[in-house]
Amino acid sequence: MARLFGTDGVRGVAGRDLTAELAMDLAVAAAHVLGDAGAFAATGRRPVAVVGRDPRASGEFLEAAVVAGLAASGVDVLRLGVLPTPAVAHLTAALGADLGVMLSASHNAAPDNGIKFLARGGFKLSDAVEDEIERRLGEDWSFPIGSGVGRVRDAYGEADRYISHVLTTVSATLDGLNVVVDCAHGAAHMVAPEALVRAGARVEAIGARPDGLNINAGYGSTHLDKLQQVVISRGADLGVAYDGDADRCLAVDHTGAIIDGDHIMAILAAAMHGEGLLAKETVVATVMSNLGFKLAMRDTGITVVETAVGDRYVLERMKSDGYNLGGEQSGHVIMLDHATTGDGLLTSLHLMGVVAKAGVPLKELASVMTPLPQILINVKGVDKGKASEPELVAAIAEAEKELGETGRVLIRPSGTEPMIRVMVEAASEEHATQVASRLADVVRTACA
């Protein structure tokens, strides 16, 4: 059977793939694996969990199911309400919780939802721990009764604790900076504008009116056209966009040019390097990062360490080797001195802080790197398990030989959708497009 946990938790269409029953079962298993449910009888203290969600309508019934599973297992639950994933991660640590739960499908459309679990300290789980939770689904548990059952209370006021935290991490004032922020009708719709205003920026918020069904619909980090239009029409200094759960951030400069995660990491790494704050003069990136990013870092005197795709793999490498900056081209940026996961709001505050301190436009700062043309084609509706078919392997080898040292090929099954991603870099966009299109055709036939 396919693994239940994907790249970022358990995800699927809410009510069909991700049902209330599954959500409750996952919560019960997670309570025993992460919270040592039953500890009340042995120690006199019940485990504590914090639960947050994004504004999806399905988050309401999934939250109820998760809370029920946790409390029935003897875990006290603090309901945080609608908050970004990094806020839930921070509060898991700040409130001394034994585990955290976030209900979100990130950048996916409203019908999807997901469950992400966080360990003590607010860190994402390893594959081994996720496998243990999955293995223990449906066990014949002995549930507590009477005073042993978990208690549930609302803790919606904890949002300010998170805002205050991210503001303490930025030394530069944003006074006079005119910014547009796109909240994707998602989890950051209240905390992000509030934090940026308190940091001193003049803020215009778009995509900040969630109705439960419009999350990521035409707004946010996967739909930057509206942000580009508003930044240009308002004459703003820059714009930033989050995804549905605000664990990632992308930006646009005053001309509307897109500043992706590679650019953001390059800007932050160069600034931290200049101030002596970049641990081991190294930044951690994934195999998806543009070759231009790696060349720019080399020229700046910064080492790039690569991991598999997924911000938790970046985090694992950062923690194991003592690095403090890493991330993905998609905008997941981890600043480990201040957060345990990718944090869109934190990233945007520090990016704006560099702009304010340097006193130059974001466009100029972004020129630290020149990206090579990179074409990404998402081939949908294919069998991800066939990504190593001989026909495809041969086509990849041929493409790599054709590109030589001036480009590269990366074929990667999606961790969350029935899709295979085809990425090609080359010296010219035309060449990259030709090779990527040819490989995508092979994927469609070989992986049908």
Side-chain angles (χ1 to χ4, degrees):
M1 293 180 62
R3 188 172 185 266
L4 187 61
F5 282 87
T7 304
D8 202 13
V10 178
R11 193 177 296 185
V13 177
R16 186 181 70 192
D17 307 316
L18 185 56
T19 63
E21 293 83 359
L22 177 57
M24 184 179 293
D25 288 346
L26 283 165
V28 171
H32 287 80
V33 173
L34 297 173
D36 190 21
F40 176 60
T43 66
R45 184 190 74 84
R46 281 190 294 263
V48 176
V50 296
V51 178
R53 63 182 180 88
D54 71 22
R56 293 166 210 267
S58 61
E60 297 168 2
F61 82 76
L62 290 172
E63 177 190 58
V66 167
V67 170
L70 292 170
S73 302
V75 178
D76 287 342
V77 181
L78 303 178
R79 286 190 299 209
L80 301 174
V82 175
L83 277 181
T85 292
V88 176
H90 173 72
L91 292 169
T92 300
L95 298 175
D98 297 283
L99 68 150
V101 186
M102 178 66 186
L103 301 166
S104 175
S106 189
H107 61 281
N108 288 20
D112 291 349
N113 215 323
I115 301 179
K116 307 177 188 182
F117 292 103
L118 300 161
R120 290 181 184 91
F123 291 101
K124 289 186 177 181
L125 308 184
S126 66
D127 288 344
V129 174
E130 288 182 340
D131 289 342
E132 177 68 4
I133 292 173
E134 190 167 336
R135 186 184 68 80
R136 301 188 70 181
L137 279 174
E139 275 193 16
D140 187 15
W141 305 108
S142 177
F143 290 94
I145 61 174
S147 62
V149 302
R151 305 301 298 271
V152 181
R153 68 179 176 88
D154 294 330
Y156 300 149
E158 294 296 343
D160 190 67
R161 187 192 297 261
Y162 166 67
I163 293 173
S164 297
H165 163 67
V166 295
L167 289 175
T168 62
T169 70
V170 183
S171 58
T173 176
L174 306 186
D175 290 349
L177 205 60
N178 184 14
V179 304
V180 181
V181 54
D182 182 348
C183 300
H185 294 307
H189 74 280
M190 292 183 66
V191 297
E194 170 71 12
L196 293 171
V197 168
R198 283 166 57 175
R202 291 181 306 221
V203 179
E204 178 171 349
I206 63 174
R209 295 182 178 179
D211 62 12
L213 301 175
N214 62 355
I215 190 168
N216 300 312
Y219 287 86
S221 60
T222 54
H223 302 279
L224 293 174
D225 52 320
K226 286 187 175 64
L227 178 62
Q228 292 170 306
Q229 293 167 10
V230 176
V231 166
I232 293 171
S233 66
R234 301 293 192 273
D237 295 306
L238 59 93
V240 294
Y242 311 115
D243 62 341
D245 69 336
D247 65 349
R248 72 170 77 176
C249 166
L250 295 179
V252 301
D253 66 23
H254 71 283
T255 71
I258 294 174
I259 309 298
D260 67 12
D262 284 344
H263 283 96
I264 292 172
M265 284 195 295
I267 292 168
L268 295 179
M272 293 170 66
H273 173 70
E275 296 179 10
L277 299 175
L278 186 64
K280 300 184 178 181
E281 306 304 337
T282 298
V283 61
V284 182
T286 77
V287 293
M288 287 294 289
S289 278
N290 194 281
L291 184 57
F293 167 75
K294 299 164 192 172
L295 296 175
M297 293 296 91
R298 183 195 65 188
D299 293 344
T300 312
I302 296 172
T303 300
V304 176
V305 171
E306 284 190 349
T307 73
V309 174
D311 61 318
R312 65 195 181 116
Y313 300 118
V314 172
L315 177 60
E316 287 174 5
R317 187 63 180 271
M318 293 173 68
K319 289 170 61 181
S320 66
D321 291 359
Y323 306 129
N324 63 352
L325 179 66
E328 298 185 284
Q329 189 183 65
S330 61
H332 286 111
V333 176
I334 303 172
M335 305 186 75
L336 200 52
D337 290 337
H338 312 300
T340 58
T341 186
D343 188 329
L345 175 56
L346 180 74
T347 300
S348 62
L349 279 166
H350 280 262
L351 179 65
M352 293 178 198
V354 175
V355 171
K357 188 176 292 187
V360 299
L362 177 58
K363 184 178 183 66
E364 183 175 334
L365 292 174
S367 66
V368 67
M369 69 164 278
T370 302
L372 292 182
Q374 185 182 78
I375 299 298
L376 176 64
I377 299 177
N378 294 321
V379 185
K380 300 182 179 180
V382 294
D383 185 346
K384 297 189 294 184
K386 294 184 176 180
S388 57
E389 285 289 298
E391 180 184 352
L392 180 56
V393 171
I396 294 170
E398 181 181 347
E400 290 176 334
K401 182 178 180 181
E402 177 183 334
L403 292 169
E405 296 182 357
T406 63
R408 63 184 182 124
V409 173
L410 181 64
I411 307 293
R412 184 178 71 87
S414 169
T416 58
E417 301 174 71
M419 179 168 65
I420 293 178
R421 306 184 194 279
V422 177
M423 191 276 285
V424 175
E425 286 177 346
S428 72
E429 184 172 354
E430 180 182 7
H431 194 190
T433 301
Q434 289 174 352
V435 175
S437 298
R438 190 167 71 237
L439 287 172
D441 288 340
V442 175
V443 169
R444 292 186 186 97
T445 56
C447 305

